[in-house]
Amino acid sequence: MDAYDIFKKLTKGLSFKKPVLGVKNNQQKTKQETLKQEIEIKKEELSDFEDVAEIENDLENSQPSSGSEEEELELVDGVKVGKKKRGKKKKEITEDLKKKLLQEEENRFRNEHGIKAVGRHIPPALKDFSDLTVRYNVPQALVDTVTQCGYSEPTPVQRQAMACMLEDRQIVACAPTGSGKTAAFIVPLLHTLGTHQGGPRALILCPTRELAHQIYREALRLSASTQLRVTVVKNLKESKVKEREATFRKSDIVISTPNRLCYLLNQDQVNISLEKVRWLIIDEADKLFEGSSEQESDFRQQLEQIMCRCGPKRLIAMFSATHTPPVARWSRRHLRGLVNVTVGHRNAATSLVEQQLLYCGNEDGKLVAFRQLVQQGLKPPVLVFVQSKDRAKQLFKELIYDGINVDVIHADRTQAQRDNVVRSFRVGRIWVLISTELMGRGIDFRGVNLVINYDFPPSAISYVHRIGRAGRAGHRGRAVTFFTQDDVVNLRSIASVMKQSGCEVPEYMLRLKQDSNKRKRLLKKAPHRDKISTILEKPVKRKLEEGKDSNVNSKDTEKIKNGKHKKQRKIDGTKENGARRSTSEKENKRKKFKKNKKIKLTKKPKSGS
Ligand SMILES: Nc1ncnc2c1ncn2[C@@H]1O[C@H](COP(=O)(O)OP(=O)(O)OP(=O)(O)O)[C@@H](O)[C@H]1O
């Protein structure tokens, strides 16, 4: 006991005038500050919450009395000055501290997994799949099915989104491509819906038919241990509509594009109720909300129609790898108690893909660059993106005659053809698949090694999704993006995405001026490009002949010099010296095809037709 303490005890209950109090207060302040610091240090040292209350008590008990608190003091034998009861207050402090520490621990866990969650009372992220059973009573059989699918631990988006959905929280989740968003919403649905009752009680909307089928397959896989029925809306021929209606009613989960669903709902002979719908999932939400105004977005009207038909208790969850202002605005307005979940940086490309930009000069240069990539050795499967159906067809014609195992998918192909192509690509019968933006989103082809953006993507968002077809579920991939002078408008935004995901890009690209009007125009209308065709314009040809172009190897140059290179055509379509492969089987087929086409065109229409 020092002089100060003796003095304090002796003067207990007496009041002093300012000068003495001032000294005392200063001393108390410094003591309190030291104590606070001590508590903070101890808190940081704590790793186990259980001990917190105990240590907090110890610290508080060792705390010297402050001016406002009375201390038990024996003045004369048996005469005691009372002490304030602090038990209740202490308990409150301990509870508060416990909560704070739990929250801190939760935040630390989220940070470790790159999860950001914004909203009120956010459910803690799952530590592993067994948390599903412990915290939410999810049947062990369902958890076992998840692990049997090869999912040993939840991905970051699954950790947070599953917990939110299982606590009936509406969410907007934005997580990198290939990070398991599909399972993130399917597993909670399977648990929430419980037993088979029909309905439907959950609707999943997505932008393309291909994606709907893929989600359907994943839902089937994950629901193997349940009695729930899952269906995908397909084939809406008049004759089949009644049949579809029946299947629809018997299903617990229905997957569809908004177009198909609204078409079915609006059929006169169909009477479908969405009253029982509990969950409405919108996958690739930003794609569906594309268009800056309500008039531009058909989807918003379709969504309103669907939402009006659903019961008042329906909940909404939106998922995508990219997040745009229209989605943010809409969700803020319509989703009560919303939790915004973001994994990593918003609108960032997956870090699993090694990205590269390749300047090709012009359209001919692109074809040369493509062939060079082939010569260097492509590791299939390879996905090639072009900007339109016409260009997809043109590139296909070029590559098929190069003997590449290639096919093409675009909106002009029949459903059967599209299904067939997707199946063949999945099983490895096709090595190179040319596609329009149709396959740019959501499609999960396991193990795509290389994505080639033959035509520059119309926006950074499109770029993120396209290259995200590679580097999925933890596997690494590569993306090569061709560009010409015509693509400079969007070059900076794409270079920035690359830089953000850790790729090297030339500094000048990040400093390029951006013309927002031009960029908006490009979003609405793709730039005009020359036809994809093996036309060697003079400067390129000269370079090739001189072997100056770094994109061309010596073999090519040799062939060009000897006039033996494949298929050179002039702009007017006549063949150049040495370009014909009259002996080749493929060339014969081509001639035959042309001949047949001519015959068809010159045939007189039948009378009466
Ligand atoms: N927990 C997990 N562990 C391992 N693999 C997983 C896990 N969850 C999902 N996957 C696999 O990851 C791949 C990508 O999943 P998914 O298609 O759901 O990604 P996504 O996030 O929806 O991608 P995109 O944004 O491109 O649509 C799938 O092949 C899926 O089987």
Side-chain angles (χ1 to χ4, degrees):
M1 197 181 278
D2 62 4
Y4 167 74
D5 288 324
I6 296 167
F7 175 76
K8 208 175 83 181
K9 284 206 173 199
L10 288 172
T11 55
K12 185 82 187 174
L14 296 179
S15 62
F16 291 89
K17 280 181 187 159
K18 271 178 191 171
V20 184
L21 266 178
V23 175
K24 186 181 169 187
N25 285 346
N26 282 343
Q27 282 175 336
Q28 279 175 352
K29 264 184 203 167
T30 44
K31 281 205 169 191
Q32 279 173 347
E33 271 162 18
T34 334
L35 189 75
K36 266 188 197 166
Q37 278 170 7
E38 227 176 280
I39 294 177
E40 286 305 318
I41 293 165
K42 284 274 181 192
K43 271 193 223 167
E44 278 171 17
E45 284 170 6
L46 284 176
S47 55
D48 189 351
F49 305 140
E50 301 302 315
D51 300 338
V52 172
E54 219 175 276
I55 291 176
E56 181 72 6
N57 276 344
D58 287 352
L59 286 169
E60 277 180 11
N61 289 340
S62 68
Q63 185 177 352
S65 59
S66 65
S68 60
E69 285 169 349
E70 286 183 69
E71 194 179 58
E72 194 174 43
L73 182 69
E74 199 171 315
L75 294 174
V76 204
D77 264 1
V79 183
K80 285 178 184 173
V81 177
K83 180 187 174 185
K84 262 191 192 172
K85 282 191 179 171
R86 294 188 303 152
K88 209 174 168 187
K89 200 175 171 190
K90 222 190 280 177
K91 206 175 171 186
E92 272 172 26
I93 294 171
T94 323
E95 288 293 307
D96 275 1
L97 188 68
K98 243 186 185 179
K99 267 188 202 166
K100 265 191 185 168
L101 287 170
L102 273 172
Q103 191 58 53
E104 268 173 30
E105 173 62 15
E106 231 344 279
N107 291 343
R108 193 182 56 77
F109 182 78
R110 287 201 189 100
N111 285 343
E112 261 171 30
H113 290 89
I115 305 169
K116 262 177 253 146
V118 181
R120 281 191 173 184
H121 308 298
I122 302 156
L126 302 178
K127 300 285 179 294
D128 51 48
F129 282 128
S130 63
D131 267 6
L132 289 172
T133 318
V134 179
R135 271 166 46 188
Y136 300 109
N137 251 346
V138 174
Q140 190 56 44
L142 177 54
V143 178
D144 288 346
T145 316
V146 173
T147 41
Q148 276 155 22
C149 285
Y151 307 167
S152 50
E153 63 169 330
T155 62
V157 65
Q158 289 167 354
R159 289 179 198 275
Q160 191 60 69
M162 282 183 184
C164 288
M165 285 182 68
L166 286 165
E167 293 196 17
D168 282 351
R169 297 294 300 271
Q170 310 199 84
I171 58 166
V172 173
C174 175
T177 50
S179 62
K181 292 186 284 292
T182 318
F185 58 76
I186 287 179
V187 174
L189 287 187
L190 296 176
H191 174 60
T192 317
L193 302 185
T195 51
H196 167 62
Q197 292 170 23
R201 289 175 295 143
L203 285 179
I204 302 173
L205 303 178
C206 61
T208 62
R209 199 184 139 270
E210 278 71 19
L211 186 51
H213 279 259
Q214 181 181 294
I215 297 172
Y216 171 65
R217 276 196 303 277
E218 179 79 340
L220 279 189
R221 222 155 58 110
L222 290 167
S223 65
S225 68
T226 71
Q227 302 299 314
L228 295 170
R229 283 199 201 166
V230 188
T231 191
V232 59
V233 179
K234 56 183 174 187
N235 200 350
L236 290 173
K237 278 182 199 158
E238 290 245 330
S239 56
K240 300 256 181 178
V241 164
K242 270 285 166 200
E243 207 180 292
R244 294 274 158 256
E245 183 188 352
T247 325
F248 200 94
R249 284 182 194 200
K250 281 183 212 153
S251 305
D252 299 288
I253 301 176
V254 169
I255 306 158
S256 175
T257 62
N259 267 334
R260 272 168 191 250
L261 183 61
C262 286
Y263 177 82
L264 188 64
L265 293 176
N266 293 334
Q267 294 297 301
D268 289 339
Q269 69 268 42
V270 169
N271 183 16
I272 290 177
S273 163
L274 299 181
E275 275 292 314
K276 288 185 187 167
V277 169
R278 174 124 185 81
W279 272 107
L280 177 59
I281 311 288
I282 306 172
D283 196 16
E284 305 295 344
D286 59 323
K287 176 71 189 169
L288 291 171
F289 276 87
E290 242 171 34
S292 52
S293 68
E294 300 213 352
Q295 289 76 35
E296 277 180 71
S297 167
D298 286 344
F299 171 68
R300 271 183 247 202
Q301 288 152 21
Q302 290 163 344
L303 183 61
E304 233 154 71
Q305 193 189 340
I306 295 165
M307 277 168 59
C308 285
R309 292 200 181 207
C310 295
K313 283 186 181 168
R314 57 107 190 90
L315 298 164
I316 293 182
M318 301 163 101
F319 287 80
S320 184
T322 44
H323 188 70
T324 53
V327 175
R329 277 196 296 270
W330 190 91
S331 55
R332 267 202 308 270
R333 210 176 307 147
H334 293 90
L335 308 185
R336 221 183 318 144
L338 171 71
V339 181
N340 272 296
V341 178
T342 311
V343 176
H345 290 288
R346 248 184 201 177
N347 300 342
T350 165
S351 53
L352 292 168
V353 176
E354 181 199 324
Q355 302 158 58
Q356 187 190 348
L357 281 166
L358 201 63
Y359 181 66
C360 300
N362 56 21
E363 285 303 315
D364 299 326
K366 284 188 186 176
L367 211 45
V368 173
F370 191 96
R371 289 188 169 129
Q372 201 193 12
L373 283 175
V374 175
Q375 272 174 0
Q376 283 165 357
L378 290 184
K379 210 171 147 204
V382 178
L383 203 49
V384 185
F385 285 104
V386 288
Q387 70 184 30
S388 66
K389 293 179 279 190
D390 288 341
R391 289 180 63 78
K393 292 173 199 169
Q394 290 161 15
L395 184 60
F396 174 69
K397 272 187 195 167
E398 286 298 321
L399 300 187
I400 192 91
Y401 289 111
D402 280 359
I404 296 171
N405 187 2
V406 61
D407 212 332
V408 63
I409 187 162
H410 49 71
D412 273 0
R413 301 202 81 177
T414 63
Q415 278 188 10
Q417 282 172 332
R418 277 158 63 168
D419 289 345
N420 202 21
V421 169
V422 170
R423 217 174 303 124
S424 303
F425 191 61
R426 278 191 200 284
V427 297
R429 269 200 299 275
I430 294 165
W431 291 0
V432 177
L433 180 59
I434 303 168
S435 171
T436 54
E437 212 66 12
L438 182 76
M439 307 298 274
R441 275 187 183 249
I443 297 296
D444 181 52
F445 291 122
R446 269 267 162 116
V448 168
N449 282 310
L450 174 64
V451 168
I452 299 177
N453 284 315
Y454 192 92
D455 287 337
F456 208 66
S459 66
I461 294 234
S462 153
Y463 175 78
V464 167
H465 286 276
R466 281 184 184 186
I467 69 157
R469 297 317 97 206
R472 300 177 72 75
H475 300 287
R476 300 201 74 82
R478 190 178 154 218
V480 179
T481 302
F482 293 168
F483 74 103
T484 66
Q485 204 56 39
D486 299 336
D487 303 310
V488 173
V489 185
N490 268 327
L491 192 56
R492 187 172 120 184
S493 56
I494 283 162
S496 308
V497 170
M498 289 174 67
K499 173 108 183 165
Q500 197 187 36
S501 54
C503 298
E504 271 185 31
V505 278
E507 266 308 304
Y508 83 90
M509 285 189 189
L510 303 168
R511 287 199 302 268
L512 285 169
K513 274 191 183 166
Q514 282 192 313
D515 184 335
S516 55
N517 287 337
K518 268 191 186 172
R519 287 174 69 200
K520 276 183 197 160
R521 251 178 277 142
L522 272 182
L523 268 179
K524 287 184 184 161
K525 196 170 179 287
H528 169 77
R529 296 185 194 274
D530 289 342
K531 196 177 166 189
I532 303 175
S533 162
T534 316
I535 302 160
L536 294 176
E537 283 176 11
K538 276 175 195 163
V540 180
K541 193 183 163 202
R542 207 182 312 127
K543 266 189 185 176
L544 286 171
E545 284 172 347
E546 288 164 12
K548 280 181 186 167
D549 195 315
S550 61
N551 273 341
V552 180
N553 64 20
S554 54
K555 256 189 190 172
D556 268 339
T557 324
E558 225 23 65
K559 279 183 188 170
I560 302 265
K561 278 180 185 167
N562 299 332
K564 281 183 185 168
H565 52 293
K566 292 176 189 172
K567 285 196 302 120
Q568 289 179 38
R569 273 170 278 150
K570 281 183 181 170
I571 300 170
D572 62 6
T574 56
K575 304 249 168 63
E576 276 199 2
N577 188 22
R580 290 180 68 175
R581 293 190 297 164
S582 53
T583 48
S584 127
E585 201 181 309
K586 279 174 189 164
E587 193 63 22
N588 285 339
K589 270 190 191 169
R590 193 180 194 171
K591 274 193 221 159
K592 213 172 166 184
F593 170 72
K594 273 189 183 170
K595 210 173 155 187
N596 285 342
K597 211 170 163 190
K598 263 186 195 168
I599 293 168
K600 272 186 195 166
L601 287 173
T602 49
K603 248 186 186 174
K604 273 186 189 172
K606 280 178 192 167
S607 58
S609 66

